[in-house]
Amino acid sequence: MLGRNPIGPLEYTRRLWLRLWLLAVFVFLYAPIVILVVFSFNDSRRNIVWQGFTTDYYVRAAQNASLIEAFGNSLIIAFVSTILSTVIGALLALALWRFRFPGRAGLDGASALPIVIPEICMGVALLVFFNRIGWPTGMPWPLNLAPIIIGHVAFSFPFVAVVVRARMAGFDRSLEEASKDLGASEWQTFWNVTVPFMKPGLIAGSLLAMTLSLDDFVITFFTSGPGTLTFPVQVYSMVRFGATPEVNAASTVLIVVTILLTIIAVRWQRPDKQAAELG
Amino acid sequence: MRDSVAPIVEPPIVEIQNVTKAYGSLKAVDDVSLAIPRNAFFALLGPSGCGKTTLLRMLGGFEHTGTGRILIDGEDMAGIQPNRRPVNMVFQSYAVFPHMTVAENIAYGLKVTGVKRAEIGPRVEEAIAMVRLGGMAGRKPDQLSGGQRQRVALARALVKRPKLLLLDEPLSALDKKLREEMQLELVRLQHEVGITFIIVTHDQEEALGMASEIAVMKDGKILQVAPPRQLYEHPTRRFVAEFIGASNSFACEIVAIEGENARVKSPLLGELVVERAAPEVTSGTLIIRPEKVRMDFSSPEPQPGEALIRGTIDQIAYFGDLSIVYLTADDGSRLQCSRYNVSRIARPDPAPGTACTLGLHPEDLLLVGD
């Protein structure tokens, strides 16, 4: 069927060289992940040769207390920091989008700084900051996660702000005027008209913030107190003694969780998104 | 309804008193005073940038009144927010909420102002029926055509039962057929609900076809306020004559003012007595509408009282129902004259280059101010 019609001038996806190129890109992107998942079922202590199928390492990972603790910590940190950075980022985006005030250009630039500053500098800066203000260490769980959460919020809220602002750029201001014209107060207008329009941006931004938080190593490493472990930090210390399928198994679980959350989020925003595109 | 004579003169629904609004050195609205009668279908007509939209947005509460006052139903609107005014607006972009269904859009204004749930349902249904959107209640705006979205915007505003409905260029985004349909629909709705409609438009045909009264604006000022027929047949200013419909203008000198008429002398038309458009018009330009010019291709036979002009046809634009003939008179001035193609067979349009004679009746000429 495919060869039936001649290839049109703009139908690049039907050309052989481009298809090969696409294939190469996908292999490059996804082969490592596929190998990670496949070898999590490998019945061998080492990750090199396929020995046979087993789910033992999932059981072992589930029984590894420090890995489970680290996983739990990571989820809590991701959850709290995502909510905080989504709220702060959305408010920043709204302020920059909606108002003209002195220092606006400065705030605009400064808010993008955490995106461009190398993570290692951010990590050191946060370490020095917490030392300088004498942030108490050795607090009981979960309070010991607070510095990590603060660190994560500090670098992820600008990403949320960027995404939300991009969304608001397409907002028709007369929707707000129409709402007020129909008798709604500022507050009602915000919740009934502005926020629903912003929603796809909020979801995309919070997904981004969550992913950034879940897999962050550098900043977490510098801001975590003694004995506070997160998943990436724990995996790192495990890999130092050789990458076992246990690490693969734990990573696969994380990948599945992330993919599920993404699917839920995309599903949730879909019907609104289409409507908003036309409005 | 609006043609009937009210036994008692009702106070106007809107009074605009000496309103001026400047943006920097530019006066968007320049000392405008205007009274809009109750139950009128009132049009603010003018070219883009004439201040008509600013004036409308002032009524809606979206722009501050610079200096001057605006009264709606006798109440001063100074400092009153849009959500507290007895006024609703249909926006140019319709501004239909994209995340709500048709019914939710229409119910919105009732819900946020705390109308009882039991009352909302029937009122929304009534509004949907009124704008003929039956069966569409559950649809989202992206499943509607432009015309249907506009009906939603109309229903959403009318369901609030405002004292005043403001329409900002409501038909500009629709294609020609739909526009004509909506014109009729808007007039029908206005009759039905008996609410004063104020429409902003730059389209003179739209204004003539719908409005009971039209204010022509230019550079922030109102030039003339009149019903459509009077505006077309008795424009008081040259700008109004040329903006509403087409017109031929002739320079002239005033010889004498004779009551409502003037004796004028024009190089092309000679000396004639013509009507003055208004008592204050004591100088200006002679105008005549293209359809009131008589064209004659045979040897000139002046009809009694007519002034004659000789000219040559430059160009003919054929529109089906009528043809517009563009001519150059012997003294070099350009004229146009329109001919209705009343018969299917007879009277083909003359070829460019044909010499012809134009007959102008003095009673069709009007002296307007510059």
Side-chain angles (χ1 to χ4, degrees):
Chain A
M1 292 301 280
L2 272 174
R4 195 66 56 83
N5 304 316
I7 296 175
L10 294 175
E11 285 186 288
Y12 292 108
T13 49
R14 284 179 62 194
R15 285 167 211 260
L16 182 65
W17 61 269
L18 198 88
R19 289 185 170 186
L20 289 175
W21 177 255
L22 258 176
L23 186 71
V25 169
F26 280 119
V27 168
F28 185 77
L29 275 178
Y30 293 113
I33 297 173
V34 171
I35 289 169
L36 172 98
V37 174
V38 168
F39 274 83
S40 71
F41 297 106
N42 189 10
D43 191 6
S44 158
R45 274 225 53 78
R46 307 183 72 198
N47 248 334
I48 301 157
V49 191
W50 179 258
Q51 298 269 315
F53 180 85
T54 178
T55 50
D56 273 4
Y57 288 100
Y58 282 88
V59 178
R60 258 203 246 178
Q63 284 164 355
N64 183 336
S66 58
L67 193 61
I68 291 298
E69 187 200 323
F71 199 75
N73 281 347
S74 269
L75 288 183
I76 291 169
I77 293 165
F79 183 73
V80 177
S81 78
T82 298
I83 290 175
L84 289 178
S85 41
T86 304
V87 171
I88 297 173
L91 290 177
L92 174 68
L94 269 182
L96 290 174
W97 166 73
R98 180 153 182 186
F99 301 109
R100 299 280 170 274
F101 50 90
R104 184 177 169 278
L107 181 63
D108 198 358
S111 69
L113 267 185
I115 298 177
V116 293
I117 287 179
E119 249 190 290
I120 183 73
C121 303
M122 195 84 177
V124 174
L126 283 164
L127 177 71
V128 172
F129 169 73
F130 284 121
N131 276 337
R132 189 85 188 81
I133 64 166
W135 188 276
T137 54
M139 302 264 280
W141 187 92
L143 291 178
N144 59 349
L145 303 179
I148 305 179
I149 291 173
I150 292 171
H152 284 193
V153 170
F155 76 78
S156 53
F157 85 86
F159 287 92
V160 178
V162 167
V163 174
V164 173
R165 246 181 112 184
R167 173 77 192 158
M168 292 317 285
F171 185 72
D172 178 4
R173 289 296 293 269
S174 61
L175 288 176
E176 281 185 343
E177 288 184 341
S179 172
K180 269 181 243 170
D181 184 67
L182 291 166
S185 62
E186 289 272 355
W187 189 244
Q188 283 171 318
T189 299
F190 178 72
W191 283 108
N192 292 324
V193 175
T194 316
V195 169
F197 184 87
M198 208 163 47
K199 209 168 84 182
L202 289 177
I203 290 169
S206 60
L207 273 181
L208 194 58
M210 191 193 68
T211 318
L212 286 169
S213 165
L214 266 185
D215 74 353
D216 180 73
F217 178 82
V218 179
I219 288 170
T220 312
F221 192 73
F222 279 95
T223 47
S224 61
T228 317
L229 281 176
T230 69
F231 186 73
V233 175
Q234 173 67 11
V235 167
Y236 172 72
S237 67
M238 282 164 78
V239 169
R240 277 199 303 177
F241 306 107
T244 67
E246 212 179 319
V247 175
N248 292 23
S251 306
T252 304
V253 171
L254 187 64
I255 290 171
V256 170
V257 168
T258 317
I259 289 175
L260 280 180
L261 282 174
T262 310
I263 289 172
I264 291 168
V266 169
R267 277 275 161 86
W268 190 36
Q269 81 180 74
R270 190 175 291 148
D272 273 324
K273 207 186 162 197
Q274 286 171 343
E277 233 104 80
L278 272 144
Chain B
M1 256 218 281
R2 63 188 178 219
D3 296 2
S4 64
V5 183
I8 309 157
V9 180
E10 280 189 277
I13 186 82
V14 175
E15 281 173 87
I16 297 171
Q17 299 172 345
N18 305 97
V19 166
T20 299
K21 168 100 179 176
Y23 296 105
S25 61
L26 180 87
K27 281 182 178 165
V29 175
D30 191 359
D31 195 23
V32 165
S33 293
L34 187 63
I36 296 173
R38 258 164 231 275
N39 289 336
F41 196 129
F42 195 91
L44 288 167
L45 176 67
S48 55
C50 71
K52 57 191 191 299
T53 299
T54 309
L55 200 59
L56 191 80
R57 289 174 60 82
M58 281 180 185
L59 290 171
F62 300 110
E63 304 271 349
H64 285 294
T65 315
T67 56
R69 288 204 309 167
I70 290 181
L71 306 173
I72 295 176
D73 205 10
E75 200 185 331
D76 194 339
M77 285 291 127
I80 295 183
Q81 290 294 308
N83 54 345
R84 304 244 174 265
R85 293 189 180 206
V87 165
N88 285 107
M89 185 148 165
V90 173
F91 290 82
Q92 191 173 8
S93 65
Y94 310 150
V96 172
F97 304 126
H99 58 286
M100 298 181 197
T101 62
V102 169
E104 284 166 350
N105 260 286
I106 298 172
Y108 182 79
L110 301 175
K111 223 153 70 182
V112 293
T113 43
V115 174
K116 282 193 210 81
R117 196 175 271 271
E119 195 187 329
I120 291 178
R123 271 175 79 174
V124 169
E125 257 168 58
E126 186 193 344
I128 286 177
M130 189 170 60
V131 297
R132 298 181 178 162
L133 279 176
M136 305 271 180
R139 296 221 189 155
K140 287 279 184 78
D142 62 333
Q143 296 166 305
L144 301 176
S145 68
Q148 288 168 333
R149 259 182 271 173
Q150 170 159 59
R151 284 161 193 268
V152 176
L154 266 169
R156 187 176 68 175
L158 287 174
V159 79
K160 297 270 298 171
R161 296 173 186 161
K163 289 179 180 168
L164 207 57
L165 183 74
L166 310 176
L167 302 113
D168 186 8
E169 303 257 4
L171 307 179
S172 61
L174 304 177
D175 59 58
K176 194 168 160 31
K177 268 267 172 287
L178 201 54
R179 200 156 63 214
E180 284 164 4
E181 199 185 306
M182 277 312 290
Q183 282 186 23
L184 293 174
E185 184 89 6
L186 283 173
V187 173
R188 174 186 71 84
L189 270 176
Q190 199 269 332
H191 268 273
E192 224 173 274
V193 297
I195 292 170
T196 308
F197 280 25
I198 302 180
I199 184 172
V200 154
T201 177
H202 62 266
D203 185 332
Q204 36 115 353
E205 281 178 25
E206 215 171 277
L208 290 176
M210 290 193 288
S212 57
E213 207 164 344
I214 302 172
V216 180
M217 284 188 78
K218 187 198 177 205
D219 299 333
K221 284 192 161 77
I222 289 182
L223 299 186
Q224 189 176 358
V225 184
R229 174 177 283 271
Q230 197 188 341
L231 208 57
Y232 186 77
E233 305 292 7
H234 282 89
T236 54
R237 306 279 290 268
R238 188 173 170 179
F239 176 84
V240 176
E242 282 168 1
F243 190 73
I244 312 252
S247 67
N248 296 304
S249 321
F250 306 94
C252 67
E253 274 172 50
I254 310 293
V255 179
I257 302 287
E258 300 172 351
E260 293 193 342
N261 298 335
R263 179 171 293 275
V264 298
K265 213 163 136 185
S266 150
L268 201 57
L269 302 170
E271 195 171 307
L272 356 115
V273 176
V274 296
E275 190 188 334
R276 294 187 293 139
E280 67 270 18
V281 178
T282 53
S283 69
T285 308
L286 288 176
I287 61 137
I288 185 167
R289 297 297 187 183
E291 73 278 5
K292 297 181 173 73
V293 176
R294 188 179 64 86
M295 280 180 86
D296 198 340
F297 305 107
S298 51
S299 56
E301 274 180 42
Q303 297 192 352
E306 256 185 4
L308 290 184
I309 304 174
R310 275 166 217 286
T312 316
I313 294 173
D314 293 326
Q315 212 178 337
I316 294 154
Y318 175 75
F319 291 104
D321 55 346
L322 80 152
S323 300
I324 295 180
V325 182
Y326 296 90
L327 312 103
T328 306
D330 283 352
D331 74 335
S333 56
R334 315 257 301 166
L335 303 169
Q336 53 173 301
C337 136
S338 58
R339 307 174 1 125
Y340 272 89
N341 299 316
V342 287
S343 167
R344 202 157 64 81
I345 315 146
R347 222 181 57 153
D349 282 328
T354 310
C356 70
T357 308
L358 303 176
L360 282 65
H361 248 292
E363 64 195 37
D364 289 328
L365 283 157
L366 188 70
L367 181 69
V368 299
D370 279 322

